[in-house]
Amino acid sequence: MEDTNLKVLQPARPFLRWAGGKTWLIKYLNKVKNANFNNYHEAFLGGGATYFYLSPQRHSYLSDLNGELIETYQAVKDDVEGVIKKLRLFKNEEKYYYEVRETLFNDKLERAARFIYLNQTSFNGIHRVNLQGKYNVPFGFRKKDFIDVDVLRSANLALTNTTIFKSDFQQIINNISAGDLVFLDPPYTVSHNNNGFIEYNEKIFSLNDQIRLSSMIEDIKAKDAHYILTNAAHETIESIFEKGDSRKELFRANAVGGAKAKRGQTSEYVFTNIDL
Protein backbone atom coordinates (compact mmCIF):
# COMPACT_ATOMS: atom_id res chain seq x y z
CA MET A 1 0.00 0.00 0.00
CA GLU A 2 1.27 3.44 -0.91
CA ASP A 3 2.27 5.62 2.05
CA THR A 4 0.37 8.84 1.32
CA ASN A 5 1.95 10.48 4.38
CA LEU A 6 5.50 10.09 3.05
CA LYS A 7 7.32 13.42 3.22
CA VAL A 8 9.11 14.01 -0.08
CA LEU A 9 12.54 15.56 0.42
CA GLN A 10 13.24 16.74 -3.12
CA PRO A 11 13.35 20.53 -3.60
CA ALA A 12 10.01 21.99 -4.61
CA ARG A 13 9.49 23.14 -8.17
CA PRO A 14 6.49 24.28 -10.24
CA PHE A 15 3.70 21.77 -10.71
CA LEU A 16 2.26 23.88 -13.55
CA ARG A 17 3.67 24.85 -16.94
CA TRP A 18 3.35 28.59 -17.41
CA ALA A 19 4.02 30.72 -20.46
CA GLY A 20 6.30 33.55 -19.37
CA GLY A 21 7.41 31.56 -16.31
CA LYS A 22 10.66 32.47 -14.58
CA THR A 23 12.51 29.16 -14.42
CA TRP A 24 15.22 30.78 -16.56
CA LEU A 25 15.71 33.53 -13.93
CA ILE A 26 16.49 31.42 -10.87
CA LYS A 27 20.16 30.93 -11.79
CA TYR A 28 20.60 34.66 -11.16
CA LEU A 29 18.97 34.57 -7.71
CA ASN A 30 21.51 32.64 -5.63
CA LYS A 31 22.39 35.71 -3.54
CA VAL A 32 18.71 36.38 -2.95
CA LYS A 33 18.08 32.79 -1.89
CA ASN A 34 20.80 33.03 0.75
CA ALA A 35 19.89 36.53 1.96
CA ASN A 36 18.05 37.21 5.21
CA PHE A 37 14.72 38.83 4.33
CA ASN A 38 11.57 38.97 6.39
CA ASN A 39 8.28 37.98 4.73
CA TYR A 40 8.00 37.24 1.01
CA HIS A 41 5.34 38.59 -1.38
CA GLU A 42 4.56 37.58 -4.95
CA ALA A 43 1.71 39.38 -6.74
CA PHE A 44 1.71 37.64 -10.14
CA LEU A 45 2.11 34.05 -9.01
CA GLY A 46 1.69 32.09 -12.26
CA GLY A 47 3.78 28.92 -12.12
CA GLY A 48 5.60 30.04 -8.98
CA ALA A 49 9.13 29.17 -10.18
CA THR A 50 10.74 31.99 -8.20
CA TYR A 51 8.84 31.21 -5.02
CA PHE A 52 9.66 27.50 -5.12
CA TYR A 53 13.34 28.20 -5.82
CA LEU A 54 13.76 30.82 -3.10
CA SER A 55 11.84 28.67 -0.59
CA PRO A 56 11.33 31.59 1.83
CA GLN A 57 11.80 30.62 5.47
CA ARG A 58 9.31 33.08 6.92
CA HIS A 59 5.72 33.76 5.91
CA SER A 60 4.83 34.24 2.23
CA TYR A 61 1.90 36.05 0.65
CA LEU A 62 1.13 34.62 -2.80
CA SER A 63 -1.49 36.19 -5.04
CA ASP A 64 -2.74 36.41 -8.59
CA LEU A 65 -5.81 37.77 -10.36
CA ASN A 66 -6.55 34.35 -11.88
CA GLY A 67 -9.11 32.84 -9.52
CA GLU A 68 -8.83 29.29 -10.92
CA LEU A 69 -5.07 29.39 -10.48
CA ILE A 70 -5.36 30.57 -6.88
CA GLU A 71 -7.98 27.95 -6.05
CA THR A 72 -5.65 25.27 -7.45
CA TYR A 73 -2.73 26.40 -5.30
CA GLN A 74 -4.99 26.47 -2.26
CA ALA A 75 -6.22 22.94 -2.98
CA VAL A 76 -2.65 21.63 -3.36
CA LYS A 77 -1.79 23.29 -0.05
CA ASP A 78 -4.87 22.05 1.83
CA ASP A 79 -5.43 18.55 0.41
CA VAL A 80 -2.79 17.43 -2.06
CA GLU A 81 -3.76 13.77 -1.69
CA GLY A 82 -7.34 14.62 -2.62
CA VAL A 83 -6.12 16.47 -5.72
CA ILE A 84 -3.90 13.53 -6.71
CA LYS A 85 -6.80 11.11 -6.26
CA LYS A 86 -8.99 13.20 -8.59
CA LEU A 87 -6.17 13.62 -11.13
CA ARG A 88 -5.78 9.87 -11.44
CA LEU A 89 -9.28 9.69 -12.88
CA PHE A 90 -8.30 11.75 -15.96
CA LYS A 91 -6.91 10.39 -19.25
CA ASN A 92 -4.37 11.91 -21.64
CA GLU A 93 -6.55 11.42 -24.71
CA GLU A 94 -7.66 14.00 -27.26
CA LYS A 95 -11.41 13.35 -27.18
CA TYR A 96 -11.43 13.08 -23.40
CA TYR A 97 -9.40 16.32 -23.12
CA TYR A 98 -12.07 18.31 -24.96
CA GLU A 99 -14.80 16.72 -22.84
CA VAL A 100 -13.01 17.84 -19.67
CA ARG A 101 -12.34 21.27 -21.17
CA GLU A 102 -16.09 21.76 -21.58
CA THR A 103 -16.99 20.40 -18.15
CA LEU A 104 -17.43 22.59 -15.08
CA PHE A 105 -17.05 20.80 -11.75
CA ASN A 106 -18.77 21.71 -8.49
CA ASP A 107 -16.17 20.11 -6.22
CA LYS A 108 -13.08 22.26 -5.53
CA LEU A 109 -10.71 19.28 -5.65
CA GLU A 110 -12.09 18.28 -9.04
CA ARG A 111 -11.70 21.87 -10.25
CA ALA A 112 -8.07 21.92 -9.11
CA ALA A 113 -7.40 18.54 -10.75
CA ARG A 114 -9.04 19.79 -13.95
CA PHE A 115 -6.86 22.91 -13.94
CA ILE A 116 -3.67 20.86 -13.52
CA TYR A 117 -4.78 18.27 -16.09
CA LEU A 118 -5.60 20.87 -18.75
CA ASN A 119 -2.37 22.72 -18.03
CA GLN A 120 -0.26 19.58 -18.36
CA THR A 121 -1.94 18.16 -21.46
CA SER A 122 -2.64 21.35 -23.42
CA PHE A 123 -0.58 23.02 -26.12
CA ASN A 124 2.51 24.82 -24.75
CA GLY A 125 1.12 25.26 -21.24
CA ILE A 126 -0.71 28.41 -22.29
CA HIS A 127 -3.56 29.64 -20.12
CA ARG A 128 -6.00 31.41 -22.43
CA VAL A 129 -9.73 32.05 -22.24
CA ASN A 130 -12.21 33.38 -24.80
CA LEU A 131 -14.49 36.39 -24.42
CA GLN A 132 -16.92 34.24 -22.43
CA GLY A 133 -14.16 33.32 -19.99
CA LYS A 134 -13.92 29.71 -21.19
CA TYR A 135 -10.56 27.99 -21.44
CA ASN A 136 -9.91 27.40 -25.15
CA VAL A 137 -6.36 26.05 -25.54
CA PRO A 138 -6.16 22.98 -27.85
CA PHE A 139 -4.95 19.52 -26.93
CA GLY A 140 -1.15 19.25 -26.82
CA PHE A 141 -0.49 15.63 -27.81
CA ARG A 142 2.09 15.37 -25.03
CA LYS A 143 3.37 11.88 -24.17
CA LYS A 144 4.66 12.86 -20.74
CA ASP A 145 2.60 11.69 -17.76
CA PHE A 146 0.51 14.60 -16.53
CA ILE A 147 0.61 13.40 -12.91
CA ASP A 148 3.87 13.93 -11.00
CA VAL A 149 3.05 12.90 -7.46
CA ASP A 150 6.45 13.84 -6.03
CA VAL A 151 6.29 17.35 -7.47
CA LEU A 152 2.78 17.89 -6.12
CA ARG A 153 3.70 16.63 -2.65
CA SER A 154 6.84 18.76 -2.58
CA ALA A 155 4.75 21.79 -3.56
CA ASN A 156 2.33 20.96 -0.76
CA LEU A 157 5.15 21.08 1.79
CA ALA A 158 6.58 24.28 0.29
CA LEU A 159 3.20 26.02 0.57
CA THR A 160 2.80 25.29 4.29
CA ASN A 161 3.65 28.76 5.60
CA THR A 162 1.74 30.80 3.03
CA THR A 163 -1.29 32.99 2.62
CA ILE A 164 -2.73 32.45 -0.87
CA PHE A 165 -5.34 34.83 -2.24
CA LYS A 166 -6.86 36.32 -5.38
CA SER A 167 -6.27 40.05 -5.79
CA ASP A 168 -5.15 42.91 -7.97
CA PHE A 169 -1.46 43.51 -7.40
CA GLN A 170 -1.97 46.83 -5.63
CA GLN A 171 -3.89 45.12 -2.84
CA ILE A 172 -0.74 43.43 -1.55
CA ILE A 173 0.78 46.68 -0.28
CA ASN A 174 -0.97 46.51 3.11
CA ASN A 175 0.77 43.20 3.90
CA ILE A 176 4.26 44.55 3.23
CA SER A 177 6.57 45.61 6.07
CA ALA A 178 10.18 46.77 6.41
CA GLY A 179 12.71 44.13 5.42
CA ASP A 180 10.26 42.13 3.29
CA LEU A 181 11.01 40.98 -0.26
CA VAL A 182 8.49 41.55 -3.06
CA PHE A 183 8.82 39.75 -6.40
CA LEU A 184 6.84 41.19 -9.32
CA ASP A 185 6.51 39.48 -12.70
CA PRO A 186 3.61 41.19 -14.50
CA PRO A 187 2.26 40.17 -17.92
CA TYR A 188 4.38 42.04 -20.43
CA THR A 189 2.55 44.83 -22.23
CA VAL A 190 5.18 45.55 -24.88
CA SER A 191 7.14 43.33 -27.22
CA HIS A 192 10.74 42.58 -26.37
CA ASN A 193 13.30 44.80 -28.07
CA ASN A 194 11.01 46.50 -30.56
CA ASN A 195 8.50 49.31 -30.69
CA GLY A 196 5.32 47.26 -30.99
CA PHE A 197 2.65 46.67 -28.39
CA ILE A 198 1.30 43.16 -27.87
CA GLU A 199 -2.46 43.34 -28.35
CA TYR A 200 -2.99 40.07 -26.47
CA ASN A 201 -1.30 41.29 -23.28
CA GLU A 202 -2.52 44.87 -23.64
CA LYS A 203 -5.99 43.53 -22.84
CA ILE A 204 -4.70 41.68 -19.78
CA PHE A 205 -2.17 44.19 -18.43
CA SER A 206 -2.32 47.64 -19.97
CA LEU A 207 0.21 50.43 -20.12
CA ASN A 208 -1.79 52.13 -17.37
CA ASP A 209 -1.35 48.99 -15.26
CA GLN A 210 2.41 49.28 -15.76
CA ILE A 211 2.23 52.86 -14.49
CA ARG A 212 0.18 51.72 -11.47
CA LEU A 213 2.80 49.08 -10.78
CA SER A 214 5.57 51.67 -10.95
CA SER A 215 3.69 53.76 -8.40
CA MET A 216 3.35 50.75 -6.09
CA ILE A 217 7.11 50.20 -6.21
CA GLU A 218 7.51 53.67 -4.74
CA ASP A 219 5.20 52.56 -1.91
CA ILE A 220 7.28 49.40 -1.38
CA LYS A 221 10.45 51.44 -1.10
CA ALA A 222 8.76 53.89 1.28
CA LYS A 223 8.13 50.93 3.60
CA ASP A 224 11.88 50.08 3.53
CA ALA A 225 11.09 46.81 1.78
CA HIS A 226 12.93 45.22 -1.14
CA TYR A 227 11.65 44.44 -4.62
CA ILE A 228 12.61 42.55 -7.76
CA LEU A 229 10.67 43.37 -10.93
CA THR A 230 10.97 41.55 -14.25
CA ASN A 231 9.66 43.14 -17.43
CA ALA A 232 10.18 43.42 -21.16
CA ALA A 233 13.43 44.98 -22.33
CA HIS A 234 11.83 47.97 -24.00
CA GLU A 235 12.49 51.71 -23.86
CA THR A 236 8.94 52.44 -22.69
CA ILE A 237 9.35 50.04 -19.76
CA GLU A 238 12.75 51.54 -18.96
CA SER A 239 11.28 55.03 -18.70
CA ILE A 240 8.31 53.92 -16.57
CA PHE A 241 10.38 52.02 -14.01
CA GLU A 242 13.56 54.10 -13.85
CA LYS A 243 13.99 54.94 -10.13
CA GLY A 244 17.75 55.10 -9.70
CA ASP A 245 17.85 51.43 -8.67
CA SER A 246 19.66 48.60 -10.41
CA ARG A 247 18.51 47.64 -13.91
CA LYS A 248 19.99 44.54 -15.51
CA GLU A 249 19.31 43.23 -19.01
CA LEU A 250 19.32 39.43 -18.94
CA PHE A 251 19.09 37.10 -21.92
CA ARG A 252 17.05 33.93 -22.18
CA ALA A 253 15.88 31.48 -24.81
CA ASN A 254 12.55 32.33 -26.40
CA ALA A 255 10.80 28.99 -26.79
CA VAL A 256 7.13 29.85 -26.32
CA GLY A 257 4.71 30.27 -29.18
CA GLY A 258 3.39 28.66 -32.31
CA ALA A 259 4.72 28.46 -35.85
CA LYS A 260 4.75 32.25 -36.26
CA ALA A 261 6.57 32.92 -32.98
CA LYS A 262 10.03 34.45 -33.10
CA ARG A 263 12.44 32.00 -31.55
CA GLY A 264 16.05 32.27 -30.49
CA GLN A 265 17.15 34.66 -27.75
CA THR A 266 15.33 37.54 -26.18
CA SER A 267 16.23 39.85 -23.31
CA GLU A 268 14.32 41.02 -20.27
CA TYR A 269 14.88 43.76 -17.74
CA VAL A 270 15.25 43.08 -14.04
CA PHE A 271 14.80 46.15 -11.81
CA THR A 272 15.69 45.85 -8.14
CA ASN A 273 16.88 47.72 -5.04
CA ILE A 274 18.99 44.79 -3.82
CA ASP A 275 22.21 43.18 -5.00
CA LEU A 276 21.63 40.26 -7.38
Side-chain angles (χ1 to χ4, degrees):
M1 180 180 294
E2 181 180 28
D3 182 3
T4 57
N5 294 314
L6 181 65
K7 299 301 182 183
V8 181
L9 298 179
Q10 70 176 35
R13 56 188 175 88
F15 59 90
L16 297 170
R17 300 185 296 154
W18 208 256
K22 287 297 172 285
T23 301
W24 66 270
L25 179 66
I26 60 177
K27 64 184 179 182
Y28 299 102
L29 299 180
N30 188 55
K31 287 184 181 179
V32 180
K33 184 177 178 66
N34 296 317
N36 184 26
F37 297 106
N38 292 332
N39 294 334
Y40 177 83
H41 307 260
E42 188 162 343
F44 305 92
L45 183 55
T50 303
Y51 169 75
F52 287 122
Y53 171 73
L54 293 178
S55 187
Q57 298 304 300
R58 300 193 183 184
H59 199 77
S60 295
Y61 295 86
L62 308 177
S63 60
D64 199 284
L65 202 53
N66 185 325
E68 291 181 285
L69 174 74
I70 290 301
E71 183 181 53
T72 300
Y73 270 96
Q74 193 66 58
V76 170
K77 174 186 175 180
D78 293 344
D79 189 359
V80 69
E81 297 305 326
V83 173
I84 291 169
K85 183 178 180 180
K86 297 295 184 182
L87 261 175
R88 284 177 169 150
L89 300 176
F90 293 123
K91 298 176 290 186
N92 188 12
E93 299 173 1
E94 183 179 9
K95 181 180 178 181
Y96 182 80
Y97 172 90
Y98 289 108
E99 290 174 356
V100 171
R101 200 182 75 169
E102 296 302 312
T103 301
L104 300 179
F105 296 101
N106 293 322
D107 179 77
K108 65 180 181 181
L109 294 180
E110 288 180 320
R111 290 196 298 268
R114 173 185 181 271
F115 191 93
I116 296 169
Y117 165 77
L118 292 176
N119 173 268
Q120 290 295 319
T121 57
S122 67
F123 174 75
N124 258 0
I126 298 170
H127 185 85
R128 184 186 65 203
V129 297
N130 60 22
L131 294 176
Q132 289 72 46
K134 292 184 178 181
Y135 185 80
N136 65 354
V137 181
F139 184 61
F141 296 96
R142 301 185 79 219
K143 295 182 179 180
K144 182 180 178 181
D145 190 353
F146 60 87
I147 306 173
D148 193 323
V149 172
D150 289 343
V151 169
L152 285 165
R153 288 178 178 158
S154 294
N156 165 263
L157 293 178
L159 293 170
T160 298
N161 197 23
T162 60
T163 299
I164 305 171
F165 57 102
K166 175 186 176 182
S167 78
D168 177 80
F169 67 86
Q170 280 190 310
Q171 296 177 27
I172 74 168
I173 195 65
N174 292 331
N175 297 323
I176 298 171
S177 299
D180 288 0
L181 174 63
V182 185
F183 179 71
L184 302 164
D185 177 35
Y188 293 176
T189 304
V190 296
S191 302
H192 298 80
N193 315 109
N194 63 50
N195 294 321
F197 283 77
I198 302 176
E199 182 181 358
Y200 173 72
N201 276 343
E202 177 67 19
K203 296 175 182 177
I204 298 172
F205 202 77
S206 68
L207 192 61
N208 183 62
D209 290 325
Q210 297 280 9
I211 294 169
R212 285 199 301 129
L213 181 57
S214 178
S215 177
M216 190 185 78
I217 289 174
E218 295 292 350
D219 297 333
I220 292 170
K221 294 174 65 175
K223 287 175 174 274
D224 292 324
H226 312 280
Y227 78 93
I228 301 172
L229 165 74
T230 61
N231 220 312
H234 188 280
E235 60 185 11
T236 303
I237 294 300
E238 181 181 353
S239 64
I240 291 173
F241 291 98
E242 176 54 52
K243 301 179 184 298
D245 299 325
S246 171
R247 174 176 57 82
K248 295 179 181 292
E249 186 173 359
L250 303 179
F251 292 85
R252 64 169 177 83
N254 180 18
V256 176
K260 295 182 180 179
K262 294 180 179 178
R263 296 181 183 265
Q265 272 204 336
T266 189
S267 61
E268 300 191 10
Y269 282 152
V270 177
F271 300 85
T272 184
N273 62 347
I274 60 175
D275 181 26
L276 292 183

